[in-house]
C-alpha cells in the first residue's frame, strides 16, 4: 500500500530498504536502524526517529511513508478468541484472528489474499473467488496491529487466501517478520498452510524456512476432488511426494489439517488410508471436527467417530491432535467474519454468506 507516490516502508525487506538508501548515499546500517524503529518500537513517524539526522528524516518523509493499521471492527468470543477486520486502502477488507493459547500465549491467524481462488467446498472464503493478493506490508500490518492489542507468540498463515498463490509477497512478508532488528519471529513460530499447490510447495522449500501445514481433508482423490478442486490439478500422489521432499529440520514435522466431516471423510477406512498416505513423512495430524452451520451442506462428525479416528492414528504412532474449534460464537473460522460483514452490507447473496466457512 503506498499513499500517492510515496513508498510504504512496510512493503520492503531489509535488503530492499538498504538498496533504496544506498541510492541516496546512505550506509546500510541506516536500514537496520529504521527497521528497529518501525518494528521494534512501533514508530511510524520519521520525525520520532530521533537518532537519525534531521535532514535525513526530512528526506525520508519526501519519498517514503509507514503505514499503520487499526481494526475497523473487533469481535471477542466467550473463549477469548478475537477477530479483527481491517479496511484496506482500496476499500477491500481483510480479517485476522487472535486465538488464545495456554499460559497467556496467543496465536495469530493471518490472511494472505482478499478472497481465494481455490474454491474449497467447506470454506466461505472460497465462494468469493480471488479479489486480489495482499502486499507484503498488508500481511505484516495484520501482525503489527494485533501486537498493539497484546503479545503474539505464534503466527499461522491460514486465514483468507492460499499463501502459495501469492508466493513472492508471502516470502517477503516472512523475511520481514523474521527480521532480527524487527519483530524477530523465529522460523519455528511461523506456520504456512497450503491447500496443496505442488510446484509452489517445492519453490517455498527452496526459498525460505517456515513450518508447513497441508490442508488434506480426504484420503482418496475422488473425495478430495470434491472438497478441494485443486486436487484435480495436483492429486494426492503428487501432493504426498512434494511433502516427502519438503526440507525439514531435525524434530520438525509437517502438519496435516484434516477437517472431519460426517459420512464424507470420517470413517475408519479413511483413518487407515491416511496412515498409508503418511508413510515415510514426519507428520502430525490436526483433527478438526467440522463446524456445522445452518444452510451448510456438511454435518459435524459424531463424538464416537472422532474418537475412533483419533485412536486409530494414535495406535499407529501418528501424532494426532484434536483441535477445538475456538471462537464459534463469533464465527471465527476463517472466512466467516468477512462473510458476515459483506452480507450486512448487501454485497453477498444470503445463501453464500451462510455457507459455513472453515479456512485451511
Ligand atoms: S480453505 Fe483455504 S485454500 Fe481453500 S478456499 Fe478456503 S481460504 Fe482458499
Amino acid at each position: 500500500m503506498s499513499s500517492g507516490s510515496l513508498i510504504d516502508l512496510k512493503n520492503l525487506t531489509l535488503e530492499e530498504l538498504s538498496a533504496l538508501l544506498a541510492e541516496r548515499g546512505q550506509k546500510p546500517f541506516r536500514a537496520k536502524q529504521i527497521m528497529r524503529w518501525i518494528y521494534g518500537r512501533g514508530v511510524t513517524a520519521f520525525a520520532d526517529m530521533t537518532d537519525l539526522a534531521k535532514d535525513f528524516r526530512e528526506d525520508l518523509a519526501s519519498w517514503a511513508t509507514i503505514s499503520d493499521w487499526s481494526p475497523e471492527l473487533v469481535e471477542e468470543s466467550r473463549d477469548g478468541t478475537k477477530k479483527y477486520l481491517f479496511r484496506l486502502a482500496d476499500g477491500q477488507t481483510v480479517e485476522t484472528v487472535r486465538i488464545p493459547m495456554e499460559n497467556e500465549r496467543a496465536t495469530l491467524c493471518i490472511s494472505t489474499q482478499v478472497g481465494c481462488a481455490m474454491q474449497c467446498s467447506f470454506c466461505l472464503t472460497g465462494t468469493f473467488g480471488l479479489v486480489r493478493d495482499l502486499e507484503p506490508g498488508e500481511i505484516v500490518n495484520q501482525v503489527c496491529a494485533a501486537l498493539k492489542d497484546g503479545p503474539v507468540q505464534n503466527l499461522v498463515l491460514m486465514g483468507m487466501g492460499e499463501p502459495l498463490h501469492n508466493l513472492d509477497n508471502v516470502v517477503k512478508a516472512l523475511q520481514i517478520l523474521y527480521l532480527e532488528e524487527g519483530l524477530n519471529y523465529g522460523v519455528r513460530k511461523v506456520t504456512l498452510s497450503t491447500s496443496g499447490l505442488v510446484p509452489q510447495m517445492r519453490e517455498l522449500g527452496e526459498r525460505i524456512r517456515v513450518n508447513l501445514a497441508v490442508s488434506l481433508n480426504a484420503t482418496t482423490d475422488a473425495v478430495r476432488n470434491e472438497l478441494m478442486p485443486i486436487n484435480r490439478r495436483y492429486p494426492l500422489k503428487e501432493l504426498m511426494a512434494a511433502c516427502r521432499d519438503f526440507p525439514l529440520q531435525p524434530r520438525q514435522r509437517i502438519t496435516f489439517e484434516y477437517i472431519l466431516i460426517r459420512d464424507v471423510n470420517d470413517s475408519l477406512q479413511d483413518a487407515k488410508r491416511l496412515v498409508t498416505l503418511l508413510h515415510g513423512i514426519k507428520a502430525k495430524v490436526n483433527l478438526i471436527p467440522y463446524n456445522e452451520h445452518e444452510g451448510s451442506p456438511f454435518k459435524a462428525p459424531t463424538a464416537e467417530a472422532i474418537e475412533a479416528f483419533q485412536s486409530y492414528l494414535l495406535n499407529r504412532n501418528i501424532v494426532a491432535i484434536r483441535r477445538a474449534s475456538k471462537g464459534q460464537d463469533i464465527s471465527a473460522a476463517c472466512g466467516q467474519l468477512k462473510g458476515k460483514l459483506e452480507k450486512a452490507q448487501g454485497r453477498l447473496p444470503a445463501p453464500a454468506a451462510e455457507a459455513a466457512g472453515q479456512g485451511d
Side-chain angles (χ1 to χ4, degrees):
M1 193 169 22
S2 62
S3 85
S5 54
L6 301 179
I7 295 171
D8 183 359
L9 299 192
K10 285 252 177 89
N11 273 325
L12 305 183
T13 63
L14 182 65
E15 289 67 33
E16 289 172 332
L17 179 58
S18 299
L20 273 180
L21 293 180
E23 281 171 21
R24 297 174 166 267
Q26 293 290 343
K27 298 257 163 38
F29 77 90
R30 293 285 176 211
K32 289 191 177 174
Q33 232 174 336
I34 292 171
M35 290 300 201
R36 215 170 285 136
W37 277 112
I38 298 175
Y39 297 108
R41 301 183 215 174
V43 167
T44 52
F46 295 117
D48 295 339
M49 300 183 178
T50 45
D51 57 0
L52 305 181
K54 194 161 174 277
D55 53 348
F56 180 36
R57 282 183 268 158
E58 282 168 4
D59 175 62
L60 280 166
S62 72
W63 58 270
T65 181
I66 304 165
S67 56
D68 186 22
W69 283 17
S70 300
E72 180 169 304
L73 202 71
V74 184
E75 276 189 280
E76 187 161 0
S77 154
R78 280 190 294 274
D79 64 19
T81 302
K82 264 190 188 179
K83 282 193 301 190
Y84 307 95
L85 187 108
F86 299 103
R87 174 85 45 197
L88 309 181
D90 62 358
Q92 295 294 340
T93 55
V94 79
E95 67 182 26
T96 310
V97 182
R98 172 195 289 271
I99 307 156
M101 311 300 273
E102 283 163 15
N103 305 328
E104 313 271 302
R105 301 175 78 80
T107 292
L108 196 71
C109 177
I110 56 189
S111 297
T112 53
Q113 295 179 311
V114 180
C116 182
M118 300 298 128
Q119 306 213 300
C120 302
S121 60
F122 50 81
C123 174
L124 178 64
T125 302
T127 63
F128 302 140
L130 177 65
V131 178
R132 72 167 173 89
D133 287 334
L134 292 185
E135 293 179 25
E138 292 172 326
I139 299 170
V140 170
N141 263 328
Q142 295 172 60
V143 183
C144 296
L147 282 171
K148 293 186 210 164
D149 200 19
V152 171
Q153 287 78 19
N154 295 291
L155 303 176
V156 291
L157 282 69
M158 265 187 213
M160 261 201 291
E162 162 56 65
L164 297 187
H165 197 210
N166 185 17
L167 187 60
D168 288 341
N169 289 348
V170 164
V171 168
K172 273 189 195 180
L174 290 176
Q175 287 169 341
I176 297 167
L177 294 167
Y178 291 162
L179 250 188
E180 238 173 273
E181 293 77 14
L183 298 174
N184 197 17
Y185 279 98
V187 288
R188 287 179 175 270
K189 299 290 180 193
V190 185
T191 300
L192 180 153
S193 176
T194 180
S195 59
L197 294 186
V198 166
Q200 289 86 345
M201 281 168 70
R202 295 186 184 279
E203 195 183 330
L204 177 76
E206 283 160 19
R207 285 176 69 175
I208 198 158
R209 279 181 55 195
V210 64
N211 291 313
L212 183 70
V214 174
S215 183
L216 190 64
N217 307 318
T219 60
T220 64
D221 281 322
V223 174
R224 199 164 191 271
N225 284 347
E226 287 306 308
L227 293 178
M228 308 181 75
I230 189 66
N231 194 72
R232 292 179 201 147
R233 213 147 95 218
Y234 306 114
L236 280 168
K237 198 162 173 252
E238 287 179 39
L239 175 60
M240 301 320 282
C243 290
R244 266 183 204 95
D245 295 345
F246 193 77
L248 294 177
Q249 299 301 309
R251 290 188 303 146
Q252 203 183 12
R253 293 166 191 268
I254 297 180
T255 303
F256 289 88
E257 310 282 350
Y258 196 100
I259 301 173
L260 284 162
I261 306 173
R262 191 191 301 180
D263 299 333
V264 173
N265 62 6
D266 65 341
S267 70
L268 269 188
Q269 275 65 40
D270 282 298
K272 224 177 251 184
R273 281 190 294 261
L274 183 54
V275 171
T276 310
L277 282 174
L278 296 181
H279 187 75
I281 301 175
K282 280 159 65 186
K284 79 172 183 223
V285 178
N286 280 345
L287 296 172
I288 309 147
Y290 182 71
N291 204 355
E292 199 175 304
H293 291 261
E294 214 185 301
S296 117
F298 300 121
K299 297 269 170 276
T302 62
E304 296 75 42
I306 302 170
E307 172 72 37
F309 201 103
Q310 184 179 23
S311 300
Y312 189 92
L313 299 181
L314 290 174
N315 287 335
R316 275 137 198 97
N317 293 323
I318 293 180
V319 182
I321 300 154
R322 189 186 154 172
R323 289 269 172 230
S325 298
K326 293 203 173 178
Q328 290 202 5
D329 54 319
I330 53 163
S331 312
C334 297
Q336 294 185 7
L337 177 66
K338 187 175 158 69
K340 209 155 83 185
L341 187 91
E342 306 228 324
K343 188 183 160 196
Q345 291 172 339
R347 283 201 222 155
L348 271 181
E354 273 157 18
Q358 213 146 351
D360 57 22

